[in-house]
Amino acid sequence: MSNAELQDEQEFLNLLHERLAELRDGAESAVREALAPTGSTFQARIERDVLVAEQSGLLAAFDSGEHGLCFGRLAFRDGRDHHIGRIGIRRDDADRTPLVLDWRADVARPFYLATGHTPMGLRRRRHITTEGRQVTGLHDEILDLADPERTGHEGDDDAVLFAALGAARTGRMQDIVQTIQAEQDRIIRAPHHGALVVEGGPGTGKTAVALHRAAFLLYAHRELLARRAVLVVGPNPTFLGYIAAVLPSLGETGVLMATPGELFPGVTATGTDSPEAAAVKGGTAMADALARFVADRQLLPGPETVIEHDDGELRLDAELVSRAREAARATRLPHNLARPHFAFRVIDALTAQLTERIGADPFGGPNLLGPDDIAQLGKAIAASADVRDAIAELWPMITPQQLVADFLADPVHLPDADADAIRRTDGAWTPADVPLLDEAAELLGEDDSAARALAEAERQERIQYAQGVLDLSYGSRTQEFEDRDDEDSEVLAAHDLVDAERLAERHEEADHRSAAERAAADRTWAFGHIIVDEAQELSAMMWRLLMRRCPTRSMTLVGDPAQTAEPGGCGSWEAILAPYVGDRWEHVRLGVNYRTPAPVMEVAAEVARAADPSFEPPRSIRSTDARPWAVRAEDLPRAAADAVARERRDDGRTAVIAPAGRIAALAAALPDASSGPVPDLTSPVVLLDPRQAKGLEFDTVIVAEPAEFGVNDLYVALTRATQRLGVVHTTALPPGLAGLPAPDRLVDTGAAAH
């Protein structure tokens, strides 16, 4: 590449950054002006809040575009020439001609899809490599097979890809916007309606594809998805921290990210279940058990309940209550919402008892009480504290937390073994409890009648106040035109323009939270699209929760059934989707492993084949000279520390992945390693259990005591490495690892080559 071409691209990049600085300054000035105390009216506050939110979103997009602002250039045979970048930037506010196109625009697709045989109108595709604001390299492909400049050498685009794959890890996932491959691009831009399953083995980029798909959908369907929001569900907080920077780097900040344990507002699940308990709680039998448990709370009186009344005793017997209960159940409303129907029936029955007693004609004629008298009796009975207490006992108001806690303390409607597995009288909520809480909320419903009544009372109070303001305005109107016909007057006052109700509405506080913020606090929110990573791990009960959050079934499900490790995980896509969409879903598979080098993948594949001889791993496109190794030692923590010291590199990240029961001892031997419920992945050394390691990648991985892993967990652990893999163990290696050689450089610390 000539120095002149490099200089041209550098000058263009300088121009882009100058324009970006102008846009950023404009947005910052707009925010400062909006926040200046220039008006205190409600309308002024609304306008300020809207402007601040809008300009703050622009600032976030501008900041995200700073890194890798422009990474490509397309020269078409018809003379068109476009630069491609993370965000679209126009020349100026008046000239809407783009300086750089957003990578998601249709015209940018040839950057990812064009080939020599299908050039899509391209003559040349240029990859632009930058460091900060400096252009460091250009890689050109001449796609016209008949072009005289074509050298016949292809693969410069692969050079860019391999450079990105071989770069040292930072502890945070990087976007792949510069190196999206054709099979990935087709998934990213697939229609957003319906369920799309993206299956792929380790290293196939399925998580990155899902996140870029979220960015594309928000670009292509901005109005819909900005209003309804996109939910991204990840397996654990460590994983969400790992991917947190990807969408902001692509200019998207309005996405809600959550773990399954965070999907019930007001509850953060920090407890831990046994594998047996998690499996039981995840099964669909729990839905029926909870429904029957709710029905159990709709009681019949054992002996007859007697309520003292000024005019004699009122009697609640099983027959009376049963009729009221059946009438309430016939409404098919949730428990709490059906309760008023039950109460009305009980009160009506008790009123009938009292009416019959005190209004009976001694001569056998019709009842002597009139409708007004009977209504008064009904009001008195409804106001009776004893009657209210009886109704509360027979049909109590229940919260989801109360219901699930009571159920777990004494599980019923389950086989004895399952009941024993989940029985718990205290302790923190666990992730497997969250779908039970959501199911309980659906069964119970929320009686918001009191809140609605209060809101309506406050609204009426505002209307009355507004009417007073308008009356004052009318009474204070100018007398200058008193001799003129009101219909001819051109002077308008407030009372001419607005009525009391509309004036009151102007003083209501609007909700200026983003859609994602509002969705996080609203259990009944319906998302515009949901993306689920490690989808095969979620239980059937968790899928019931997610399907309620997305009635349109617009979903992208990402995972690999071969990596299913959670006891309650559904595993197969058919088991997940058939109850909700039948066979109306699309399945695509990513078959290229970009992350895991071939020598490491061969070892992981042997482990998987030991359990399933038909297993076929994704095809690795990279290889390294570093061969996987194994060391047997008497002292596991010391051997792990020695391995870290030997394999660690200054510019990369090292992970020690061990069974959960070994973490404490290893942490003592690795004082510099970050560990715990949410370890810092930017630390040079990280200590994880295999569940925490899901979806992550490191330059070097040391797997400790693999014989204590399940097959799927071991497969996950082995495939986290992008460069080097080692194994330290004190017991015999499991099948597939027995043939690993010793490392090239073995420190004499009591360890022995396997």
Side-chain angles (χ1 to χ4, degrees), residues 241-567:
Y242 177 64
I243 68 172
V246 174
L247 284 169
S249 77
L250 299 172
E252 300 297 346
T253 57
V255 175
L256 175 62
M257 291 190 174
T259 67
E262 297 169 330
L263 291 177
F264 190 85
V267 169
T268 299
T270 58
T272 303
D273 275 312
S274 68
E276 296 78 13
V280 172
K281 290 179 180 180
T284 55
M286 290 297 299
D288 179 65
L290 285 171
R292 295 171 67 184
F293 189 63
V294 170
D296 291 345
R297 306 297 291 271
Q298 300 162 2
L299 302 175
L300 296 176
E304 185 178 64
T305 299
V306 178
I307 299 173
E308 296 296 334
H309 190 271
D310 292 343
D311 294 302
E313 295 177 342
L314 300 175
R315 298 183 178 277
L316 276 174
D317 58 28
E319 181 180 355
L320 183 155
V321 174
S322 178
R323 288 196 301 269
R325 184 173 71 173
E326 292 309 310
R329 288 176 175 177
T331 65
R332 305 185 70 83
L333 291 171
H335 172 88
N336 289 336
L337 301 185
R339 184 176 183 271
H341 295 270
F342 173 79
F344 292 151
R345 291 288 184 140
V346 169
I347 291 169
D348 285 348
L350 294 178
T351 302
Q353 280 186 26
L354 199 55
T355 300
E356 181 66 23
R357 178 183 306 140
I358 65 176
D361 184 348
F363 301 104
N367 195 285
L368 300 177
L369 298 179
D372 291 342
D373 298 321
I374 296 173
Q376 285 299 114
L377 289 178
K379 288 180 181 179
I381 289 174
S384 166
D386 290 339
V387 171
R388 291 200 301 269
D389 289 346
I391 291 172
E393 182 179 350
L394 296 170
W395 195 295
M397 288 287 291
I398 315 171
T399 68
Q401 289 89 333
Q402 288 173 334
L403 186 81
V404 175
D406 290 347
F407 179 81
L408 294 177
D410 184 20
V412 292
H413 309 301
L414 291 173
D416 290 345
D418 290 350
D420 291 340
I422 67 172
R423 184 173 282 107
R424 185 186 75 211
T425 56
D426 55 18
W429 295 114
T430 71
D433 293 333
V434 167
L436 306 187
L437 291 167
D438 197 73
E439 190 75 24
E442 287 291 306
L443 293 167
L444 296 172
E446 181 180 357
D447 184 1
D448 61 350
S449 56
R452 284 189 285 107
L454 177 61
E456 179 60 22
E458 292 175 347
R459 176 174 172 274
Q460 292 299 327
E461 185 178 348
R462 286 193 299 270
I463 291 174
Q464 291 176 12
Y465 176 81
Q467 186 62 57
V469 172
L470 293 178
D471 291 344
L472 182 62
S473 170
Y474 182 79
S476 303
R477 67 191 185 282
T478 179
Q479 303 300 310
E480 181 179 352
F481 303 100
E482 62 181 353
D483 295 331
R484 300 177 59 175
D485 189 341
D486 286 345
E487 294 182 359
D488 296 331
S489 176
E490 297 180 358
V491 178
L492 299 177
H495 56 269
D496 298 311
L497 300 174
V498 67
D499 60 21
E501 187 167 354
R502 291 184 179 274
L503 182 60
E505 288 175 356
R506 293 189 177 188
H507 290 270
E508 293 179 4
E509 289 295 332
D511 188 349
H512 300 300
R513 294 175 298 171
S514 69
E517 291 170 330
R518 284 181 283 127
D522 185 353
R523 190 195 68 82
T524 63
W525 188 272
F527 288 93
H529 194 81
I530 293 181
I531 292 174
V532 185
D533 206 322
E534 302 293 350
Q536 77 282 347
E537 301 287 7
L538 300 190
S539 70
M541 287 298 292
M542 182 55 72
W543 283 113
R544 288 173 65 90
L545 180 155
L546 288 176
M547 293 298 174
R548 284 193 282 265
R549 300 290 197 278
C550 192
T552 63
R553 308 295 189 252
S554 179
M555 294 180 161
T556 303
L557 312 183
V558 180
D560 179 13
Q563 298 184 58
T564 305
E566 293 296 333

Side-chain angles (χ1 to χ4, degrees), residues 30-237:
V31 170
R32 285 195 299 270
E33 291 175 7
L35 293 176
T38 57
S40 59
T41 67
F42 181 73
Q43 184 67 27
R45 294 199 305 273
I46 292 288
E47 293 173 355
R48 177 200 65 196
D49 291 346
V50 170
L51 182 59
V52 168
E54 180 183 89
Q55 296 299 318
S56 297
L58 286 175
L59 279 172
F62 296 152
D63 291 340
S64 72
E66 179 74 23
H67 172 68
L69 185 57
C70 177
F71 55 78
R73 185 173 182 177
L74 301 176
F76 290 86
R77 286 183 300 210
D78 62 7
R80 289 177 295 147
D81 194 304
H82 298 296
H83 282 84
I84 309 297
R86 274 180 167 72
I87 58 175
I89 298 178
R90 298 187 177 96
R91 291 186 180 277
D92 55 52
D93 294 336
D95 183 357
R96 301 181 71 82
T97 303
L99 272 174
V100 62
L101 291 173
D102 193 298
W103 66 276
R104 296 167 286 189
D106 283 343
V107 73
R109 290 205 77 181
F111 186 77
Y112 302 109
L113 298 181
T115 66
H117 295 286
T118 310
M120 302 178 70
L122 278 188
R123 176 182 175 271
R124 182 187 66 189
R125 172 170 52 204
R126 169 171 288 177
H127 294 263
I128 302 172
T129 305
T130 59
E131 289 184 11
R133 300 190 177 190
Q134 187 71 32
V135 177
T136 58
L138 305 177
H139 301 271
D140 278 1
E141 299 169 83
I142 304 300
L143 296 174
D144 186 345
L145 298 177
D147 195 300
E149 290 186 28
R150 185 176 173 84
T151 63
H153 297 294
E154 298 190 36
D156 283 340
D157 57 329
D158 289 341
V160 176
L161 173 63
F162 281 114
L165 296 176
R169 268 42 192 175
T170 64
R172 291 287 181 263
M173 177 181 277
Q174 305 297 312
D175 65 67
I176 60 169
V177 67
Q178 293 173 255
T179 58
I180 293 171
Q181 301 301 291
E183 66 171 354
Q184 297 171 330
D185 183 79
R186 283 187 282 271
I187 296 170
I188 289 169
R189 297 173 190 264
H192 85 287
H193 295 294
L196 173 65
V197 172
V198 182
E199 182 177 335
T204 53
K206 55 187 180 294
T207 297
V209 166
L211 295 174
H212 286 68
R213 176 164 167 75
F216 172 77
L217 292 176
L218 285 162
Y219 172 85
H221 307 281
R222 177 73 62 188
E223 183 176 352
L224 170 65
L225 296 183
R227 185 173 68 252
R228 299 309 313 162
V230 173
L231 171 65
V232 176
V233 180
N236 54 60

